[in-house]
Amino acid sequence: MEEEDDIYTQDGTINIHRKPANKKKTGNWKACWFILGNEASERLAYYGMSTNLVNYLQERFNQGNAAAAKSVNTWSGTCYITPLLGAFLADAYIGRYWTIASFSTIYVIGMILLTLSASAPGLKPSCDANGCHPTSAQIAACFIALYLIALGTGGIKPCVSSFGADQFDESDEEERKRKSSFFNWFYFSINIGALVASSVLVWIQMNVGWGWGFGVPAVAMVIAIISFFGGSKLYRLQVPGGSPLTRICQVIVAASRKFSVQVPDDKSLLHETVDVESVIKGSRKLDHTNNFKCLDKAAVETQSDRLKNLPNSWRLCTVTQVEELKSIIRLLPVWATLIAFATVYSQMSTMFVLQGNTMDQHIGPHFKIPSASLSLFDTLSVIFWAPVYDRIIVPCAKKFTGHEQGFTQLQRMGIGLFISIVSMVIAGILEVVRLDIIRRNNYYDLQTIPMSIFWQVPQYFIVGCAEVFTYIGQLEFFYGQAPDAMRSLCVALSLTTNALGNYISTLLVTIVTKITTRHGRLGWIPDNLNRGHLDYFYWLLAILSFLNFLVYIWIAKRYRYKKVAENTR
């Protein structure tokens, strides 16, 4: 019997045929290569379409600097809100595998429609020497395509990283170590796709045409789906645990009903199943924690509860169910402090691009690099730092900290937050220098000033370094600290920091524009940036990020990592 148990995973995963997952035949890196291939292709599609979107809206739809930045930020934010829907369906009903499969179809439809809106007669805005003249129907077609893509990403973003991590059994010590490396290589694969997108595809868009520039990402998305389905026989699938929102509501209702009930000092008296397994499908039991004690009332068994053969979940919850809600509450302060990083990160697709548009983009006499392509230095930075972190920084840090992974996840994210502040300072200094050259030489009305765009490289490179610390740490932290049956939802929750970061960036641009354009002034971000003060906007972000960093340190010091109960599968 013991040998038979060793054949199968101990975390409750099943194979595609809904039978217990065999350790040797499923999961591990042999399954992950298909997932990493899927992610690299999907990210190529996403960044190939989004990296240069601000220029597309300016060129084809006549949007000004502020309007194009707000449109891109709002759309990008939506791409990180829809994962809440996909995550809910994955955790509650259909699982991560089928969520990725179904939402990928919507994604492809959106990519095809976007390609047609940029190339098909009637859907493509007509252009002449005086510019482009989009109709309301053409604008609608473009934005319907964009928001179909946003919906499609909702089933992929929260599930792919979690699905990859599911391929490693947490109860197996060797597999658990590999899982930490998976998150580094997962983010590495994202940036392989982004590298091709920000270099080759942006060049195609600016020099060949938008139809080809969006058509190639559409093909990449089809390749992503083929790669994903190619590994189906090797995958380990987590069983959906039922609606996590229902379980959360049950704890709140049960605790409210027992508002006047006293919680016993002996916490072993709180209600929990006697079985080794949790009553929640796909979830291990969680140990009781002492914070948020008012919620423990939901697990207090009263006399009326004992008289019933089957307890009512809206009156009596298990300790594990209560601890699920506590885990989510503990995550929220950390989640809130990561929004500032997402706000800084969003500048790469908006303000960095607009700043680059004003600079000399030539490499030699004949070749001109699109300003949006500078984001490839962010990608190269990630591709450089991800393996360096995994192979060099972690072993070195381990000698000083004694921690198995070099840094705790919270320490890793904190380092990234600090580096992101530096990136805004560097961007601000560059803008001060650029504006000084303009003032001294009266270049106010020049479309591009004689200053190389490659002076932007440091700010992109530093953002990439910050990503390796913050975003990879964030993925691992929210996956690891999430209750087993709520992992997709918690990863989606972490992704909403990107949504809110984009929305806050939009809000900041709106507020700054409104305040700084009073009394007929041009403001900080006019259509002619040579007459504006983009540096002030960067200083504002740097100050807000620093204040946020101080709050993060205070929260991180008080955070307590979750504890899984012993002797549970």
Side-chain angles (χ1 to χ4, degrees):
M1 186 70 176
E2 197 170 312
E3 289 181 3
E4 188 177 335
D5 286 343
D6 288 341
I7 296 174
Y8 300 105
T9 58
Q10 300 301 302
D11 58 359
T13 50
I14 57 175
N15 62 23
I16 194 67
H17 303 295
R18 303 194 66 79
K19 294 180 180 178
N22 186 300
K23 274 190 175 183
K24 294 183 179 179
K25 295 181 180 179
T26 64
N28 271 291
W29 282 107
K30 60 179 174 289
C32 286
W33 294 121
F34 292 92
I35 297 169
L36 294 178
N38 164 267
E39 184 64 10
S41 299
E42 187 273 326
R43 290 291 86 185
L44 187 153
Y46 178 81
Y47 287 116
M49 176 269 305
S50 65
T51 301
N52 207 22
L53 188 58
V54 69
N55 281 331
Y56 178 65
L57 295 178
Q58 282 187 316
E59 182 182 316
R60 286 289 179 89
F61 296 96
N62 303 323
Q63 294 192 355
N65 283 341
K70 286 190 283 187
S71 293
V72 172
N73 282 327
T74 303
W75 172 79
S76 298
T78 305
C79 288
Y80 290 97
I81 285 290
T82 53
L84 290 172
L85 171 63
F88 175 77
L89 292 174
D91 281 342
Y93 302 113
I94 61 177
R96 289 187 259 279
Y97 177 87
W98 290 110
T99 301
I100 294 169
S102 55
F103 277 75
S104 293
T105 305
I106 299 171
Y107 200 135
V108 170
I109 293 170
M111 290 297 304
I112 292 171
L113 180 56
L114 183 65
T115 303
L116 291 174
S117 74
S119 58
L123 288 176
K124 179 178 70 171
S126 60
C127 300
D128 54 31
N130 297 318
C132 293
H133 313 284
T135 65
S136 55
Q138 290 166 344
I139 294 171
C142 174
F143 280 91
I144 287 171
L146 287 174
Y147 282 90
L148 277 174
I149 293 167
L151 178 60
T153 62
I156 298 173
K157 285 180 185 291
C159 295
V160 175
S161 60
S162 298
F163 188 64
D166 289 343
Q167 307 311 308
F168 303 94
D169 188 349
E170 278 196 355
S171 61
D172 184 302
E173 188 176 346
E174 287 302 314
E175 290 196 20
R176 189 169 63 247
K177 289 178 182 177
R178 293 181 206 133
K179 181 183 290 189
S180 182
S181 286
F182 166 77
F183 284 105
N184 286 318
W185 291 105
F186 175 80
Y187 209 76
F188 181 86
S189 71
I190 289 175
N191 284 274
I192 290 294
L195 176 64
V196 177
S198 59
S199 53
V200 177
L201 293 184
V202 170
W203 185 87
I204 290 173
Q205 288 163 0
M206 301 303 288
N207 295 276
V208 179
W210 293 104
W212 280 101
F214 291 147
V216 175
V219 173
M221 191 58 215
V222 174
I223 294 171
I225 295 176
I226 293 171
S227 176
F228 178 73
F229 282 116
S232 295
K233 290 184 179 179
L234 300 174
Y235 294 147
R236 297 175 184 175
L237 281 62
Q238 286 282 358
V239 180
S243 172
L245 299 181
T246 300
R247 294 197 301 274
I248 288 172
C249 291
Q250 285 173 340
V251 173
I252 295 170
V253 170
S256 301
R257 282 179 167 179
K258 296 178 179 178
F259 180 76
S260 59
V261 172
Q262 187 70 30
V263 178
D265 294 331
D266 184 358
K267 299 305 183 287
S268 64
L269 298 176
L270 294 174
H271 177 63
E272 183 58 276
T273 58
V274 293
D275 299 331
V276 174
E277 296 182 4
S278 165
V279 292
I280 304 166
K281 288 181 182 179
S283 182
R284 295 167 293 175
K285 287 183 179 178
L286 296 173
D287 275 339
H288 175 269
T289 56
N290 290 321
N291 49 4
F292 312 113
K293 294 180 180 179
C294 60
L295 296 176
D296 290 338
K297 295 176 186 290
V300 176
E301 195 171 12
T302 62
Q303 186 64 33
S304 62
D305 294 326
R306 295 188 190 98
L307 293 175
K308 298 176 182 177
N309 292 328
L310 291 173
N312 182 346
S313 296
W314 293 93
R315 291 192 60 87
L316 181 64
C317 303
T318 63
V319 169
T320 296
Q321 195 174 339
V322 172
E323 291 301 321
E324 271 193 339
L325 178 53
K326 288 185 180 181
S327 296
I328 300 298
I329 295 172
R330 281 195 296 269
L331 286 173
L332 290 178
V334 177
W335 166 84
T337 54
L338 293 171
I339 296 171
F341 178 82
T343 304
V344 168
Y345 181 79
S346 70
Q347 304 313 309
M348 281 201 305
S349 60
T350 53
M351 296 307 169
F352 284 14
V353 174
L354 297 176
Q355 184 185 39
N357 286 343
T358 68
M359 303 170 77
D360 183 7
Q361 299 164 30
H362 286 90
I363 302 176
H366 304 297
F367 186 79
K368 186 177 179 182
I369 183 171
S371 59
S373 286
L374 264 288
S375 63
L376 72 87
F377 288 99
D378 163 76
T379 304
L380 289 171
S381 178
V382 173
I383 291 172
F384 171 77
W385 285 109
V388 166
Y389 182 88
D390 197 46
R391 302 300 182 190
I392 299 174
I393 295 177
V394 168
C396 291
K398 192 175 178 180
K399 294 177 183 178
F400 295 97
T401 64
H403 192 272
E404 184 180 344
Q405 297 172 10
F407 300 106
T408 66
Q409 293 150 1
L410 287 168
Q411 287 171 340
R412 180 175 185 172
M413 290 187 288
I415 293 169
L417 289 179
F418 180 78
I419 295 172
S420 72
I421 300 169
V422 176
S423 71
M424 284 296 96
V425 172
I426 296 296
I429 291 172
L430 175 65
E431 184 64 8
V432 168
V433 173
R434 192 186 73 85
L435 291 174
D436 185 57
I437 291 173
I438 291 167
R439 278 192 295 269
R440 283 191 286 108
N441 297 279
N442 196 27
Y443 289 152
Y444 291 104
D445 295 316
L446 279 186
Q447 188 173 0
T448 57
I449 67 169
M451 180 181 186
S452 174
I453 194 173
F454 288 101
W455 283 106
Q456 281 192 311
V457 169
Q459 64 203 51
Y460 279 102
F461 197 83
I462 294 170
V463 171
C465 180
E467 276 185 77
V468 170
F469 283 90
T470 301
Y471 271 153
I472 301 177
Q474 184 176 333
L475 275 174
E476 190 175 355
F477 177 75
F478 277 84
Y479 180 89
Q481 294 305 299
D484 294 346
M486 297 174 72
R487 280 177 167 161
S488 294
L489 194 65
C490 285
V491 170
L493 179 66
S494 78
L495 291 172
T496 58
T497 60
N498 294 325
L500 293 173
N502 279 282
Y503 292 150
I504 287 175
S505 183
T506 301
L507 180 63
L508 285 174
V509 170
T510 302
I511 293 172
V512 163
T513 302
K514 189 171 183 178
I515 293 175
T516 61
T517 55
R518 288 176 178 174
H519 311 300
R521 291 177 296 178
L522 286 173
W524 291 1
I525 315 171
D527 288 341
N528 182 354
L529 286 181
N530 294 343
R531 294 183 178 277
H533 264 296
L534 185 57
D535 55 330
Y536 292 174
F537 186 72
Y538 288 144
W539 300 137
L540 175 63
L541 286 175
I543 292 167
L544 293 175
S545 296
F546 179 72
L547 295 175
N548 176 79
F549 176 67
L550 297 179
V551 175
Y552 175 85
I553 293 174
W554 184 82
I555 290 169
K557 283 184 176 180
R558 286 157 180 77
Y559 185 84
R560 295 293 176 266
Y561 289 87
K562 82 169 187 182
K563 292 196 300 182
V564 176
E566 295 181 4
N567 301 320
T568 62
R569 75 160 177 82

